Amino acid sequence: MANTNNSVLNWNKKNVTKQQAEFLCNNYINNKAKSLFGTNLSDKEITIYSQILSSILIRRNITEGNDILYYLEDDLRFQHSPFCFNSMEDAVERILQAQEDGEKVLIFGDKDVDGITSTAILYSYLHQMNIDVQWRLPVADDSYGLSMQAIDDFAAEEGTLIITVDCGISNFEEIKHANELGIDVIITDHHNPPENLPEAILIIDPKTEDSGYPFKEISGAAVAYKLVSALRFAQTDFYNAEICLMEVAFNPELKQYEIDCLKIRNLTKVKHLHEVIIPGKTSIYNLKLPYFLQGQLIYVWDSNEVRKILNDIFGSSVEFNLNDLRSEIGKVFPQLKNKASFELKDLSQIGKYIENEKSIINSLFNLYVTYCKRIIATKYPEQITDEKKDLQLVALAAIADIMPLQNENRIFVRNGILSMKKDKLRPGLSELFSRLKINIEAITAKDLSWTVTPALNAAGRLGQANISLELLLSENPKEREQLSTKIFELNEQRKDLTMQASYRIHDAAKESVKRHHDKLCVVVDEEINKGLTGNFAGRLMQDFSVPSIALTFCNDICVGSMRSCRGFIATTFLDDFGDFFINHGGHNYAAGFSFTKDKLNEFLEKAESMSKNITLEEENSDMKIDAEIPTEFLSPVTFKLLDILEPYGCMNDEIIIKLSHVKIAEGTIVGKKEPYTLKLLLDCGQYKFPAIFWNQGERLKKDIFVGNNYDILVSMSKNYFNGNITLQFEIIDIKQA
């Protein structure tokens, strides 16, 4: 860590103008400020904290309404509809057919946390539907993805439908084999697709070109959750219901009528029509409107008013069969019974963030969806309970698979963690949390990434992924206790194996980086456990800050993992090997592959040759400061910023604040063994806050002195102890003021 006079960090604070901050506040933050920061604050205090929040968002380039939405809102209403996937309705129909015909169904997942949670989510619901369903994961020396053996075994049982979760998008030959055996395959995955897709009957992967899904970076568990959400929706009266919303208005400036029509199916926009009608000049026979509305169930906000306008436009001879939406919605939301359609724009919550959602027709759509969801929640309360249980697993998958904590991933993780705290923990998680001695009240995304997800992953890493899945599916409390203990033991074993191998391969890794022009690290060690290659590749990447590959052997097969950084795409690098691999695939920054052992030298030579042309983004030693807060504005309310921007992780680092000219009121050294930690008390004027400087105890009375003033970079945290919560800072760097 830096010393006082010669910091290794460059403190960088991007300038934000008052005008920028005010624009963001006025457009997005002010309407939420009271609920964000508390109703007991003065208008002046609200303004100050709102502008601090807006400056943080601006420095993080979060300036568009459809991005800001996911930082200020966490209602599940703002997640994307599962029917945005173009293949979703067909997938639901195929599964409902399997239910009706009594078919055997196999769910095939992956062995990591994402694959295990994906399998648990889908299996639990299909089992609840009384489908004859079974699951299978890669275990022992099984390779990644759907296997020929799994297909043959399932065919021998006269199975007819396989659904892959968190895998399948690269299993071209395996799915061809399933087709030959008369087995249908539905792929649900989230990995980068190859150039040619497998010939599955349906593919649900947000990264495929024609997926239709608006956000690409969701986990495999989130894709499985979307499928289950669609299946739940299929149990309601709204499934496959088609309606057309219509709004008619007169534009006095242009002296013309404007008609907007929006077709909706499964609460998803299907098609939009906008027509302009000039009185006395436009004939209905020249419009697309009659064809668009043919056979449609038409809803308008105020049927009497719209019918009158349509009569004025087209005359009484043209009839429109209109249904009154206001009367229906008014039964659920009485406050809207007397509202005019133009007033709905100001009531639309999503319209406050996204400009094109402010139109009357889109406001009608969003209100209709909210109305339907309220009806569903009232009529099918068990769906809400089950959804919360699923979100606990979706949250873990997003964290474990290092999904960017942006867009709806934020809603998944926030709601999943909230459910862990407020609702009953999902069976299996309850026993594992207890075995790991996790304080549920204090849990954050960061905590989960250090505790629960590595433990669940450990079983799969060591070839026993079925243990983690059985933990999540078992209905026997005693069995779950035993399984959680086994997972704990496997995680301890994983830690020991990782530490032993890390020492052994460090020198070879250091030499490899030089040999690969300081752009790549490749390590081969047959003693690395096959399931831990990803762990080692990740550790090497962190140690040397270059894309890294860890390789080991499994009989006559080389198995490897790649972890990348600095803008270099792992899957593109592997794709350049052509048909070299038995299989390969993954994400932009995490990928896996295998090839026959006799090709090892060829692989190493080609990787070294290719490393010359690798282009990496420059390393940045700047410590990016989110805000510089004067001490007079530091109060317990400041820590509300911590909560607003949770969860932290990929693409959403913890808030870093600069405190200037802060006096150290007290200083003590804590800890039972070296390196000791330094605990300080910062005098911030009206308030004093404890601050922890991890592993820097020896600096007290050397370059950090009680009574002196310092400029300090800090993050914020909450310390939970014996039921008490202490707000504290964690020091990142310190300089003499």
Side-chain angles (χ1 to χ4, degrees):
M1 180 55 67
N3 62 45
T4 342
N5 300 311
N6 185 26
S7 174
V8 296
L9 301 175
N10 298 314
W11 296 13
N12 174 32
K13 180 167 69 69
K14 177 182 174 183
N15 289 329
V16 175
T17 67
K18 184 179 180 182
Q19 289 77 10
Q20 287 175 311
E22 287 179 345
F23 174 83
L24 219 62
C25 285
N26 293 336
N27 282 273
Y28 306 114
I29 297 175
N30 285 347
N31 70 85
K32 289 282 295 184
K34 287 286 185 181
S35 61
L36 291 173
F37 295 107
T39 56
N40 58 338
L41 298 182
S42 68
D43 290 343
K44 181 180 179 181
E45 288 173 313
I46 285 288
T47 299
I48 290 168
Y49 288 113
S50 294
Q51 293 208 352
I52 292 172
L53 174 58
S54 68
S55 68
I56 291 173
L57 293 174
I58 292 168
R59 288 190 177 97
R60 294 180 173 219
N61 295 317
I62 304 164
T63 56
E64 300 297 326
N66 55 355
D67 294 324
I68 294 170
L69 163 67
Y70 295 100
Y71 287 84
L72 304 188
E73 305 286 349
D74 52 22
D75 195 316
L76 287 170
R77 165 69 184 86
F78 297 111
Q79 62 179 319
H80 305 302
S81 167
F83 291 99
C84 289
F85 279 109
N86 291 327
S87 300
M88 186 59 77
E89 188 176 324
D90 290 335
V92 169
E93 289 298 321
R94 181 62 186 89
I95 293 170
L96 292 178
Q97 178 191 332
Q99 179 190 35
E100 184 177 342
D101 295 345
E103 296 181 57
K104 289 182 182 292
V105 179
L106 170 66
I107 301 170
F108 193 96
D110 190 19
K111 58 188 175 182
D112 63 1
V113 170
D114 196 14
I116 291 162
T117 53
S118 303
T119 308
I121 289 167
L122 187 55
Y123 176 86
S124 296
Y125 191 70
L126 297 192
H127 182 68
Q128 188 178 320
M129 290 174 67
N130 293 317
I131 290 177
D132 184 357
V133 60
Q134 56 186 274
W135 56 263
R136 183 160 175 166
L137 305 175
V139 294
D141 292 333
D142 291 348
S143 61
Y144 164 82
L146 184 61
S147 66
M148 294 290 192
Q149 187 63 54
I151 295 168
D152 288 338
D153 291 346
F154 188 55
E157 298 180 36
E158 299 182 346
T160 51
L161 176 62
I162 295 174
I163 307 173
T164 70
V165 290
D166 191 36
C167 65
I169 200 66
S170 299
N171 291 121
F172 192 91
E173 292 299 326
E174 290 82 1
I175 291 171
K176 182 180 178 182
H177 181 58
N179 292 339
E180 292 168 350
L181 294 175
I183 299 174
D184 288 343
V185 180
I186 298 174
I187 295 172
T188 76
D189 203 347
H190 74 130
H191 292 96
N192 293 346
E195 186 175 348
N196 297 312
L197 297 177
E199 295 176 353
I201 60 163
L202 294 164
I203 296 176
I204 303 175
D205 184 332
K207 291 190 175 77
T208 57
E209 190 174 346
D210 61 347
S211 76
Y213 204 71
F215 182 55
K216 308 297 183 188
E217 301 298 330
I218 59 175
S219 67
V223 177
Y225 160 76
K226 293 293 178 180
L227 176 56
V228 168
S229 297
L231 287 166
R232 287 194 181 111
F233 184 77
Q235 307 306 310
T236 74
D237 299 333
F238 298 103
Y239 178 60
N240 279 351
E242 293 184 359
I243 74 162
C244 182
L245 297 177
M246 185 166 72
E247 170 64 16
V248 185
F250 182 69
N251 188 325
E253 293 181 8
L254 300 176
K255 296 181 180 179
Q256 63 187 27
Y257 288 98
E258 296 182 7
I259 299 181
D260 279 293
C261 298
L262 186 61
K263 285 184 182 177
I264 300 169
R265 182 179 172 89
N266 292 327
L267 303 189
T268 305
K269 296 175 184 178
V270 176
K271 197 171 184 179
H272 176 243
L273 175 71
H274 178 77
E275 296 270 43
V276 173
I277 300 167
I278 301 174
K281 294 184 179 181
T282 306
S283 167
I284 191 171
Y285 302 107
N286 296 327
L287 298 174
K288 297 177 183 177
L289 186 66
Y291 307 100
F292 192 87
L293 295 178
Q294 188 173 6
Q296 294 293 307
L297 186 63
I298 307 168
Y299 275 93
V300 295
W301 183 247
D302 183 343
S303 58
N304 291 331
E305 177 66 21
V306 173
R307 190 174 286 111
K308 181 179 180 300
I309 297 174
L310 290 173
N311 284 341
D312 290 341
I313 298 173
F314 300 116
S316 58
S317 62
V318 180
E319 292 187 10
F320 292 85
N321 185 18
L322 304 180
N323 296 277
D324 194 87
L325 190 61
R326 182 167 62 179
S327 61
E328 290 295 317
I329 289 181
K331 296 173 186 177
V332 177
F333 302 109
Q335 67 273 26
L336 300 177
K337 283 192 296 187
N338 299 316
K339 295 289 184 183
S341 61
F342 68 85
E343 295 178 280
L344 300 179
K345 292 193 297 182
D346 296 328
L347 299 175
S348 172
Q349 194 66 20
I350 195 169
K352 293 173 183 177
Y353 297 97
I354 303 173
E355 186 63 33
N356 64 3
E357 296 291 339
K358 292 180 181 178
S359 66
I360 294 177
I361 194 67
N362 280 325
S363 297
L364 280 175
F365 167 74
N366 289 315
L367 183 57
Y368 175 73
V369 172
T370 302
Y371 158 78
C372 293
K373 287 184 177 291
R374 177 67 64 87
I375 296 291
I376 291 169
T378 303
K379 190 173 181 179
Y380 308 94
E382 71 283 355
Q383 288 196 6
I384 306 304
T385 302
D386 291 343
E387 182 179 35
K388 289 179 178 179
K389 289 180 181 178
D390 287 347
L391 283 168
Q392 293 180 17
L393 299 185
V394 175
L396 289 175
I399 294 164
D401 236 37
I402 319 180
M403 293 293 99
L405 292 178
Q406 300 170 327
N407 205 279
E408 68 178 345
N409 282 335
R410 297 187 55 76
I411 288 181
F412 296 152
V413 177
R414 285 179 74 96
N415 280 274
I417 292 176
L418 181 64
S419 178
M420 292 176 189
K421 293 178 177 180
K422 302 295 184 183
D423 305 318
K424 192 174 181 180
L425 266 173
R426 186 179 178 118
L429 289 186
S430 178
E431 288 79 8
L432 184 60
F433 275 52
S434 176
R435 187 65 184 83
L436 295 172
K437 298 180 179 178
I438 291 172
N439 180 358
I440 299 175
E441 180 188 12
I443 201 72
T444 65
K446 181 180 177 181
D447 297 328
L448 291 171
S449 72
W450 283 99
T451 54
V452 179
T453 59
L456 283 173
N457 251 336
R461 302 291 188 205
L462 298 178
Q464 301 180 61
N466 54 305
I467 293 177
S468 289
L469 182 54
E470 288 165 1
L471 172 71
L472 298 177
L473 295 177
S474 174
E475 297 178 2
N476 185 323
K478 186 175 181 180
E479 182 184 31
R480 293 197 301 266
E481 290 284 355
Q482 294 170 345
L483 290 168
S484 65
T485 297
K486 179 63 176 174
I487 288 171
F488 178 85
E489 292 169 352
L490 287 170
N491 193 38
E492 293 301 305
Q493 183 182 346
R494 179 212 36 108
K495 291 177 185 177
D496 290 342
L497 289 171
T498 303
M499 186 175 294
Q500 293 167 17
S502 293
Y503 288 125
R504 189 174 62 252
I505 67 175
H506 187 269
D507 290 343
K510 195 172 181 181
E511 189 277 330
S512 173
V513 173
K514 291 181 181 178
R515 191 170 67 254
H516 291 87
H517 315 284
D518 294 321
K519 296 179 179 180
L520 182 69
C521 179
V522 181
V523 169
V524 183
D525 191 315
E526 61 183 340
E527 293 187 34
I528 294 177
N529 183 284
K530 171 190 168 185
L532 299 179
T533 55
N535 290 48
F536 285 106
R539 179 166 292 198
L540 293 170
M541 182 200 70
Q542 292 175 344
D543 288 347
F544 299 104
S545 193
V546 295
S548 298
I549 293 171
L551 278 162
T552 191
F553 307 128
C554 183
N555 299 322
D556 292 328
I557 303 297
C558 279
V559 178
S561 293
M562 183 173 184
R563 297 294 181 265
S564 193
C565 60
R566 296 169 63 184
F568 189 69
I569 308 302
T571 49
T572 301
F573 178 79
L574 297 178
D575 287 343
D576 287 343
F577 279 81
D579 58 1
F580 184 90
F581 300 111
I582 298 172
N583 55 51
H584 73 286
H587 308 295
N588 288 352
Y589 296 105
F593 57 89
S594 63
F595 55 85
T596 55
K597 191 174 180 180
D598 59 308
K599 293 183 177 180
L600 177 60
N601 289 334
E602 183 184 349
F603 173 83
L604 295 175
E605 289 171 4
K606 190 163 186 177
E608 185 173 343
S609 174
M610 290 167 61
S611 68
K612 300 173 186 175
N613 300 317
I614 289 177
T615 301
L616 302 177
E617 294 175 356
E618 288 296 321
E619 290 187 80
N620 192 347
S621 62
D622 285 358
M623 179 61 69
K624 294 180 180 178
I625 301 171
D626 288 298
E628 182 174 358
I629 304 180
T631 52
E632 60 265 32
F633 298 134
L634 288 173
S635 75
V637 179
T638 310
F639 285 76
K640 292 286 183 73
L641 295 167
L642 176 70
D643 299 328
I644 292 168
L645 293 181
E646 279 275 8
Y648 299 101
C650 178
M651 304 297 288
N652 188 51
D653 295 333
E654 291 179 286
I655 302 172
I656 297 175
I657 295 172
K658 180 183 178 184
L659 308 178
S660 297
H661 215 74
V662 177
K663 182 179 179 180
I664 295 179
E666 297 176 12
T668 55
I669 298 173
V670 296
K672 296 181 179 179
K673 60 180 182 179
E674 295 184 357
Y676 299 114
T677 289
L678 182 56
K679 185 175 182 180
L680 305 174
L681 186 66
L682 305 183
D683 187 347
C684 300
Q686 184 179 356
Y687 296 94
K688 291 183 174 67
F689 291 101
I692 298 294
F693 204 0
W694 298 106
N695 303 326
Q696 300 296 312
E698 80 284 352
R699 293 179 60 179
L700 186 64
K701 297 182 181 179
K702 290 184 179 178
D703 59 3
I704 298 176
F705 299 92
V706 173
N708 285 7
N709 293 327
Y710 295 88
D711 293 339
I712 312 175
L713 290 189
V714 298
S715 61
M716 295 179 285
S717 66
K718 297 178 182 179
N719 182 32
Y720 292 78
F721 185 72
N722 287 341
N724 297 317
I725 303 174
T726 302
L727 305 177
Q728 66 181 22
F729 292 116
E730 295 189 13
I731 297 175
I732 299 167
D733 202 13
I734 187 168
K735 296 178 181 179
Q736 192 167 342

